[in-house]
Amino acid sequence: MAFTLNGNPLAVDVAFKTSDGTQYPANWLRLATAQEKTDLGIAEIADPTVYDSRFYWGNGTAKALDDVNATDENGDLLKDENGDQIVTLGVKSVLKAQEKVTAGTLLAKYDWYVVRKAEKSTAIPTAITTYRDGVRTACNTRETEIDACADTAALVTLYGQTEKDGVFTPNMTQYPTDPNS
């Protein structure tokens, strides 16, 4: 919550003075009742709504889920310098690309086992192979879950979590636990 006095903003935990010269301590806004603030002419202003920028623009408008061909102000298709259509990526494409980056990062930690196997024919430990397969499977499943979302609300739910008996469980398939963690 934000506060104003005579149209001027009041910062919480900062001393302030009223128009009649009365000085109030820094903690007054925190300790005063709603009625005491009202009696003094202090108005509470609701904090602006904050939207998840993965799914919404700053004003709360949902971003496009699917890719669209870019157009100019006349509605004509935009082409790049090679004459190829410029495509504006939708939320689903952006999220799936992020999943590929995440999976690649998780796999990269153990790439040296694959290189060693190719160079020296040294076996990759089963735990590492299982983990790497699990990462690829989880990434594919997560991309499928993203594609299955018909609207923004479904995506928001997918990226959220469910609470039951005080335990929070992610709604989306999780990546496997690193075998060396």
mmCIF file with all atom_site columns, all heavy atoms in Angstrom, residues 60-75:
data_model
loop_
_atom_site.group_PDB
_atom_site.id
_atom_site.type_symbol
_atom_site.label_atom_id
_atom_site.label_alt_id
_atom_site.label_comp_id
_atom_site.label_asym_id
_atom_site.label_entity_id
_atom_site.label_seq_id
_atom_site.pdbx_PDB_ins_code
_atom_site.Cartn_x
_atom_site.Cartn_y
_atom_site.Cartn_z
_atom_site.occupancy
_atom_site.B_iso_or_equiv
_atom_site.pdbx_formal_charge
_atom_site.auth_seq_id
_atom_site.auth_comp_id
_atom_site.auth_asym_id
_atom_site.auth_atom_id
_atom_site.pdbx_PDB_model_num
ATOM 1   N N   . GLY A 1 60 ? -1.480 -5.804  -18.446 1.00 0.00 ? 60 GLY A N   1
ATOM 2   C CA  . GLY A 1 60 ? -2.332 -6.948  -18.149 1.00 0.00 ? 60 GLY A CA  1
ATOM 3   C C   . GLY A 1 60 ? -2.917 -7.635  -19.369 1.00 0.00 ? 60 GLY A C   1
ATOM 4   O O   . GLY A 1 60 ? -3.638 -8.623  -19.240 1.00 0.00 ? 60 GLY A O   1
ATOM 5   N N   . THR A 1 61 ? -2.621 -7.140  -20.555 1.00 0.00 ? 61 THR A N   1
ATOM 6   C CA  . THR A 1 61 ? -3.097 -7.781  -21.776 1.00 0.00 ? 61 THR A CA  1
ATOM 7   C C   . THR A 1 61 ? -2.271 -9.041  -22.035 1.00 0.00 ? 61 THR A C   1
ATOM 8   O O   . THR A 1 61 ? -1.049 -8.998  -21.981 1.00 0.00 ? 61 THR A O   1
ATOM 9   C CB  . THR A 1 61 ? -2.953 -6.825  -22.984 1.00 0.00 ? 61 THR A CB  1
ATOM 10  O OG1 . THR A 1 61 ? -3.644 -5.620  -22.698 1.00 0.00 ? 61 THR A OG1 1
ATOM 11  C CG2 . THR A 1 61 ? -3.498 -7.454  -24.251 1.00 0.00 ? 61 THR A CG2 1
ATOM 12  N N   . ALA A 1 62 ? -2.963 -10.137 -22.307 1.00 0.00 ? 62 ALA A N   1
ATOM 13  C CA  . ALA A 1 62 ? -2.262 -11.396 -22.560 1.00 0.00 ? 62 ALA A CA  1
ATOM 14  C C   . ALA A 1 62 ? -1.448 -11.298 -23.848 1.00 0.00 ? 62 ALA A C   1
ATOM 15  O O   . ALA A 1 62 ? -1.898 -10.732 -24.838 1.00 0.00 ? 62 ALA A O   1
ATOM 16  C CB  . ALA A 1 62 ? -3.265 -12.543 -22.660 1.00 0.00 ? 62 ALA A CB  1
ATOM 17  N N   . LYS A 1 63 ? -0.251 -11.846 -23.808 1.00 0.00 ? 63 LYS A N   1
ATOM 18  C CA  . LYS A 1 63 ? 0.586  -11.914 -25.001 1.00 0.00 ? 63 LYS A CA  1
ATOM 19  C C   . LYS A 1 63 ? 0.040  -13.005 -25.923 1.00 0.00 ? 63 LYS A C   1
ATOM 20  O O   . LYS A 1 63 ? -0.632 -13.940 -25.463 1.00 0.00 ? 63 LYS A O   1
ATOM 21  C CB  . LYS A 1 63 ? 2.039  -12.237 -24.627 1.00 0.00 ? 63 LYS A CB  1
ATOM 22  C CG  . LYS A 1 63 ? 2.722  -11.130 -23.854 1.00 0.00 ? 63 LYS A CG  1
ATOM 23  C CD  . LYS A 1 63 ? 4.148  -11.502 -23.509 1.00 0.00 ? 63 LYS A CD  1
ATOM 24  C CE  . LYS A 1 63 ? 4.852  -10.377 -22.770 1.00 0.00 ? 63 LYS A CE  1
ATOM 25  N NZ  . LYS A 1 63 ? 6.244  -10.748 -22.429 1.00 0.00 ? 63 LYS A NZ  1
ATOM 26  N N   . ALA A 1 64 ? 0.339  -12.920 -27.204 1.00 0.00 ? 64 ALA A N   1
ATOM 27  C CA  . ALA A 1 64 ? -0.104 -13.928 -28.168 1.00 0.00 ? 64 ALA A CA  1
ATOM 28  C C   . ALA A 1 64 ? 0.555  -15.265 -27.835 1.00 0.00 ? 64 ALA A C   1
ATOM 29  O O   . ALA A 1 64 ? 1.750  -15.330 -27.570 1.00 0.00 ? 64 ALA A O   1
ATOM 30  C CB  . ALA A 1 64 ? 0.263  -13.500 -29.585 1.00 0.00 ? 64 ALA A CB  1
ATOM 31  N N   . LEU A 1 65 ? -0.222 -16.317 -27.832 1.00 0.00 ? 65 LEU A N   1
ATOM 32  C CA  . LEU A 1 65 ? 0.311  -17.648 -27.537 1.00 0.00 ? 65 LEU A CA  1
ATOM 33  C C   . LEU A 1 65 ? 1.074  -18.235 -28.714 1.00 0.00 ? 65 LEU A C   1
ATOM 34  O O   . LEU A 1 65 ? 2.074  -18.922 -28.534 1.00 0.00 ? 65 LEU A O   1
ATOM 35  C CB  . LEU A 1 65 ? -0.817 -18.606 -27.153 1.00 0.00 ? 65 LEU A CB  1
ATOM 36  C CG  . LEU A 1 65 ? -1.554 -18.325 -25.848 1.00 0.00 ? 65 LEU A CG  1
ATOM 37  C CD1 . LEU A 1 65 ? -2.604 -19.404 -25.612 1.00 0.00 ? 65 LEU A CD1 1
ATOM 38  C CD2 . LEU A 1 65 ? -0.608 -18.237 -24.693 1.00 0.00 ? 65 LEU A CD2 1
ATOM 39  N N   . ASP A 1 66 ? 0.588  -17.987 -29.908 1.00 0.00 ? 66 ASP A N   1
ATOM 40  C CA  . ASP A 1 66 ? 1.152  -18.622 -31.092 1.00 0.00 ? 66 ASP A CA  1
ATOM 41  C C   . ASP A 1 66 ? 1.950  -17.619 -31.922 1.00 0.00 ? 66 ASP A C   1
ATOM 42  O O   . ASP A 1 66 ? 1.753  -16.408 -31.823 1.00 0.00 ? 66 ASP A O   1
ATOM 43  C CB  . ASP A 1 66 ? 0.027  -19.227 -31.935 1.00 0.00 ? 66 ASP A CB  1
ATOM 44  C CG  . ASP A 1 66 ? -0.727 -20.306 -31.163 1.00 0.00 ? 66 ASP A CG  1
ATOM 45  O OD1 . ASP A 1 66 ? -0.064 -21.164 -30.554 1.00 0.00 ? 66 ASP A OD1 1
ATOM 46  O OD2 . ASP A 1 66 ? -1.977 -20.281 -31.169 1.00 0.00 ? 66 ASP A OD2 1
ATOM 47  N N   . ASP A 1 67 ? 2.844  -18.142 -32.731 1.00 0.00 ? 67 ASP A N   1
ATOM 48  C CA  . ASP A 1 67 ? 3.651  -17.310 -33.621 1.00 0.00 ? 67 ASP A CA  1
ATOM 49  C C   . ASP A 1 67 ? 2.743  -16.634 -34.650 1.00 0.00 ? 67 ASP A C   1
ATOM 50  O O   . ASP A 1 67 ? 1.739  -17.210 -35.068 1.00 0.00 ? 67 ASP A O   1
ATOM 51  C CB  . ASP A 1 67 ? 4.681  -18.167 -34.369 1.00 0.00 ? 67 ASP A CB  1
ATOM 52  C CG  . ASP A 1 67 ? 5.648  -18.879 -33.434 1.00 0.00 ? 67 ASP A CG  1
ATOM 53  O OD1 . ASP A 1 67 ? 5.659  -18.566 -32.233 1.00 0.00 ? 67 ASP A OD1 1
ATOM 54  O OD2 . ASP A 1 67 ? 6.388  -19.749 -33.925 1.00 0.00 ? 67 ASP A OD2 1
ATOM 55  N N   . VAL A 1 68 ? 3.130  -15.415 -35.031 1.00 0.00 ? 68 VAL A N   1
ATOM 56  C CA  . VAL A 1 68 ? 2.386  -14.703 -36.070 1.00 0.00 ? 68 VAL A CA  1
ATOM 57  C C   . VAL A 1 68 ? 3.372  -14.075 -37.056 1.00 0.00 ? 68 VAL A C   1
ATOM 58  O O   . VAL A 1 68 ? 4.490  -13.715 -36.686 1.00 0.00 ? 68 VAL A O   1
ATOM 59  C CB  . VAL A 1 68 ? 1.465  -13.604 -35.487 1.00 0.00 ? 68 VAL A CB  1
ATOM 60  C CG1 . VAL A 1 68 ? 0.353  -14.197 -34.660 1.00 0.00 ? 68 VAL A CG1 1
ATOM 61  C CG2 . VAL A 1 68 ? 2.245  -12.601 -34.677 1.00 0.00 ? 68 VAL A CG2 1
ATOM 62  N N   . ASN A 1 69 ? 2.942  -13.973 -38.282 1.00 0.00 ? 69 ASN A N   1
ATOM 63  C CA  . ASN A 1 69 ? 3.751  -13.295 -39.285 1.00 0.00 ? 69 ASN A CA  1
ATOM 64  C C   . ASN A 1 69 ? 3.744  -11.798 -38.983 1.00 0.00 ? 69 ASN A C   1
ATOM 65  O O   . ASN A 1 69 ? 2.685  -11.211 -38.763 1.00 0.00 ? 69 ASN A O   1
ATOM 66  C CB  . ASN A 1 69 ? 3.203  -13.549 -40.696 1.00 0.00 ? 69 ASN A CB  1
ATOM 67  C CG  . ASN A 1 69 ? 3.430  -14.970 -41.144 1.00 0.00 ? 69 ASN A CG  1
ATOM 68  O OD1 . ASN A 1 69 ? 4.357  -15.640 -40.690 1.00 0.00 ? 69 ASN A OD1 1
ATOM 69  N ND2 . ASN A 1 69 ? 2.588  -15.452 -42.039 1.00 0.00 ? 69 ASN A ND2 1
ATOM 70  N N   . ALA A 1 70 ? 4.928  -11.207 -38.953 1.00 0.00 ? 70 ALA A N   1
ATOM 71  C CA  . ALA A 1 70 ? 5.048  -9.783  -38.666 1.00 0.00 ? 70 ALA A CA  1
ATOM 72  C C   . ALA A 1 70 ? 4.526  -8.972  -39.847 1.00 0.00 ? 70 ALA A C   1
ATOM 73  O O   . ALA A 1 70 ? 4.750  -9.336  -41.010 1.00 0.00 ? 70 ALA A O   1
ATOM 74  C CB  . ALA A 1 70 ? 6.505  -9.428  -38.375 1.00 0.00 ? 70 ALA A CB  1
ATOM 75  N N   . THR A 1 71 ? 3.815  -7.880  -39.536 1.00 0.00 ? 71 THR A N   1
ATOM 76  C CA  . THR A 1 71 ? 3.293  -6.990  -40.572 1.00 0.00 ? 71 THR A CA  1
ATOM 77  C C   . THR A 1 71 ? 3.637  -5.548  -40.228 1.00 0.00 ? 71 THR A C   1
ATOM 78  O O   . THR A 1 71 ? 3.909  -5.225  -39.073 1.00 0.00 ? 71 THR A O   1
ATOM 79  C CB  . THR A 1 71 ? 1.762  -7.119  -40.696 1.00 0.00 ? 71 THR A CB  1
ATOM 80  O OG1 . THR A 1 71 ? 1.168  -6.831  -39.424 1.00 0.00 ? 71 THR A OG1 1
ATOM 81  C CG2 . THR A 1 71 ? 1.349  -8.511  -41.134 1.00 0.00 ? 71 THR A CG2 1
ATOM 82  N N   . ASP A 1 72 ? 3.604  -4.708  -41.242 1.00 0.00 ? 72 ASP A N   1
ATOM 83  C CA  . ASP A 1 72 ? 3.844  -3.280  -41.011 1.00 0.00 ? 72 ASP A CA  1
ATOM 84  C C   . ASP A 1 72 ? 2.522  -2.592  -40.682 1.00 0.00 ? 72 ASP A C   1
ATOM 85  O O   . ASP A 1 72 ? 1.478  -3.253  -40.563 1.00 0.00 ? 72 ASP A O   1
ATOM 86  C CB  . ASP A 1 72 ? 4.551  -2.630  -42.205 1.00 0.00 ? 72 ASP A CB  1
ATOM 87  C CG  . ASP A 1 72 ? 3.735  -2.653  -43.483 1.00 0.00 ? 72 ASP A CG  1
ATOM 88  O OD1 . ASP A 1 72 ? 2.501  -2.891  -43.425 1.00 0.00 ? 72 ASP A OD1 1
ATOM 89  O OD2 . ASP A 1 72 ? 4.319  -2.422  -44.560 1.00 0.00 ? 72 ASP A OD2 1
ATOM 90  N N   . GLU A 1 73 ? 2.558  -1.259  -40.554 1.00 0.00 ? 73 GLU A N   1
ATOM 91  C CA  . GLU A 1 73 ? 1.358  -0.504  -40.165 1.00 0.00 ? 73 GLU A CA  1
ATOM 92  C C   . GLU A 1 73 ? 0.241  -0.594  -41.206 1.00 0.00 ? 73 GLU A C   1
ATOM 93  O O   . GLU A 1 73 ? -0.920 -0.350  -40.891 1.00 0.00 ? 73 GLU A O   1
ATOM 94  C CB  . GLU A 1 73 ? 1.715  0.963   -39.896 1.00 0.00 ? 73 GLU A CB  1
ATOM 95  C CG  . GLU A 1 73 ? 2.322  1.710   -41.072 1.00 0.00 ? 73 GLU A CG  1
ATOM 96  C CD  . GLU A 1 73 ? 3.814  1.491   -41.256 1.00 0.00 ? 73 GLU A CD  1
ATOM 97  O OE1 . GLU A 1 73 ? 4.460  0.854   -40.389 1.00 0.00 ? 73 GLU A OE1 1
ATOM 98  O OE2 . GLU A 1 73 ? 4.344  1.934   -42.270 1.00 0.00 ? 73 GLU A OE2 1
ATOM 99  N N   . ASN A 1 74 ? 0.565  -0.990  -42.429 1.00 0.00 ? 74 ASN A N   1
ATOM 100 C CA  . ASN A 1 74 ? -0.444 -1.147  -43.485 1.00 0.00 ? 74 ASN A CA  1
ATOM 101 C C   . ASN A 1 74 ? -0.978 -2.577  -43.567 1.00 0.00 ? 74 ASN A C   1
ATOM 102 O O   . ASN A 1 74 ? -1.820 -2.873  -44.405 1.00 0.00 ? 74 ASN A O   1
ATOM 103 C CB  . ASN A 1 74 ? 0.130  -0.753  -44.853 1.00 0.00 ? 74 ASN A CB  1
ATOM 104 C CG  . ASN A 1 74 ? 0.548  0.688   -44.891 1.00 0.00 ? 74 ASN A CG  1
ATOM 105 O OD1 . ASN A 1 74 ? -0.121 1.552   -44.327 1.00 0.00 ? 74 ASN A OD1 1
ATOM 106 N ND2 . ASN A 1 74 ? 1.668  0.963   -45.538 1.00 0.00 ? 74 ASN A ND2 1
ATOM 107 N N   . GLY A 1 75 ? -0.439 -3.460  -42.726 1.00 0.00 ? 75 GLY A N   1
ATOM 108 C CA  . GLY A 1 75 ? -0.863 -4.852  -42.758 1.00 0.00 ? 75 GLY A CA  1
ATOM 109 C C   . GLY A 1 75 ? -0.100 -5.706  -43.748 1.00 0.00 ? 75 GLY A C   1
ATOM 110 O O   . GLY A 1 75 ? -0.417 -6.881  -43.948 1.00 0.00 ? 75 GLY A O   1
#
